[in-house]
Amino acid sequence: MVREKVISPFPQNFSDRQWSRFVRLGRDLVQEESRIQFELGDISLKMIPTVEDHKDHGVFIVMDKYADQIGINVHTLINYRYVSHAWPAKHRAPGVSHSIHMALAALEDRFEIIQHPPEGMDRWTEDTALRRAGRLPQRALTKEEKLERIRTLARESEHATGAVEEIIRRPDVAHKIMSDPANARILYRAHHEQRQEAAAARFAAAHERSDEVEEPVEEPDEREDGRPLKPTTTHAPPTATLTAAALPPRHPPGSRPCLS
């Protein structure tokens, strides 16, 4: 078997021989990891064989308990199970990692595709396998892939607001967005609706407060026995007033009063 010649992409840091040795060690470890991943998937299929009716048949409950017992995430184990089912042992490509088998697992002609790496490449990479399967690669290279990554993030409501906020904080991006009349109308409409909602909320709060004001208590017009209540009148204390007749007569100076 002819050994593949590996050329260092960083000749200033690694010679071809050094890089080749590191690549060989890494590939051996990845192959060992892939072997273990396939074996875990195969074990899960032995425990509960797959039935082609797309029903659960209690698979998740069993896998969940089994995953806890062996110290692995249940969804990871279910992914291993899926890949093992999609790739029977006789169709697994030697020297190709488990992650690449997973990326191509949904293709109907996967058994043939995996034997032929993309043109100009001697080996599959995970990103080339994802692109071949029509899925978004881990590293977005083209404009469409980058836009698709943003669309994927925007579909998740809990992340969409944060993503948009980060984007429009860039003045150049915000300017380009607002220069499009369609985008401007959308933002203005949202702002107008927000102001209307705020005004409606303030009106509802004011109306609720007015309903909470206590009404004056009316005094009863009659006693419990039915007799009317007498109006209560408050009398001011009598004030002494002196009239002219009540005053003693005044006499001119030097005269004596007439005694009778």
Side-chain angles (χ1 to χ4, degrees):
M1 180 178 180
V2 179
R3 175 174 292 186
E4 176 188 354
K5 184 178 181 180
V6 179
I7 300 176
S8 172
F10 309 102
Q12 295 180 348
N13 304 96
F14 306 96
S15 65
D16 291 348
R17 184 175 182 181
Q18 289 174 323
W19 187 261
S20 178
R21 184 172 70 253
F22 289 136
V23 168
R24 186 171 63 254
L25 290 173
R27 286 177 179 174
D28 289 344
L29 292 173
V30 170
Q31 286 306 304
E32 180 64 16
E33 179 189 36
S34 297
R35 183 188 64 79
I36 294 171
Q37 291 168 323
F38 271 121
E39 285 193 7
L40 286 171
D42 293 342
I43 290 173
S44 73
L45 290 173
K46 289 179 181 178
M47 295 172 67
I48 304 180
T50 298
V51 181
E52 299 296 341
D53 59 2
H54 304 290
K55 295 182 180 180
D56 182 77
H57 294 287
V59 171
F60 186 85
I61 296 176
V62 176
M63 293 297 104
D64 189 31
K65 182 62 65 176
Y66 181 60
D68 286 343
Q69 292 290 317
I70 65 176
I72 192 174
N73 183 279
V74 62
H75 298 289
T76 301
L77 181 61
I78 289 176
N79 281 337
Y80 294 167
R81 174 185 174 86
Y82 164 72
V83 177
S84 290
H85 174 70
W87 294 93
K90 64 180 181 179
H91 293 294
R92 296 169 190 173
V96 179
S97 69
H98 185 272
S99 62
I100 292 173
H101 282 83
M102 181 183 295
L104 300 174
L107 300 179
E108 294 184 1
D109 52 349
R110 57 188 176 276
F111 303 149
E112 177 67 21
I113 289 175
I114 202 168
Q115 302 298 330
H116 305 285
E119 186 177 356
M121 303 180 65
D122 55 358
R123 300 177 66 88
W124 283 98
T125 67
E126 186 173 359
D127 278 351
T128 55
L130 288 170
R131 289 191 183 94
R132 181 63 180 81
R135 297 167 57 189
L136 189 64
Q138 299 293 336
R139 292 173 297 175
L141 298 180
T142 66
K143 178 181 178 180
E144 183 58 32
E145 289 175 352
K146 293 176 182 179
L147 288 175
E148 183 59 30
R149 185 175 293 279
I150 295 175
R151 294 189 196 103
T152 301
L153 186 63
R155 292 189 192 105
E156 302 175 4
S157 299
E158 64 273 20
H159 301 311
T161 302
V164 173
E165 287 177 350
E166 289 294 329
I167 292 173
I168 63 176
R169 281 196 181 102
R170 293 177 50 186
D172 57 331
V173 175
H175 178 75
K176 289 181 180 179
I177 291 175
M178 292 301 294
S179 64
D180 187 333
N183 293 337
R185 283 195 298 270
I186 292 172
L187 294 176
Y188 287 145
R189 187 182 304 114
H191 179 62
H192 178 66
E193 292 175 354
Q194 189 180 52
R195 292 183 62 184
Q196 286 183 320
E197 291 174 359
R202 288 195 299 270
F203 176 80
H207 183 69
E208 184 177 353
R209 285 196 299 270
S210 66
D211 291 342
E212 294 176 356
V213 177
E214 295 184 359
E215 297 181 357
V217 179
E218 297 182 359
E219 295 291 340
D221 295 332
E222 58 183 19
R223 296 188 179 92
E224 294 181 358
D225 57 3
R227 291 181 299 168
L229 291 172
K230 294 181 179 180
T232 303
T233 304
T234 303
H235 299 283
T239 303
T241 57
L242 296 177
T243 62
L247 293 175
R250 298 182 65 183
H251 302 277
S255 63
R256 294 182 179 179
C258 180
L259 297 174
S260 55

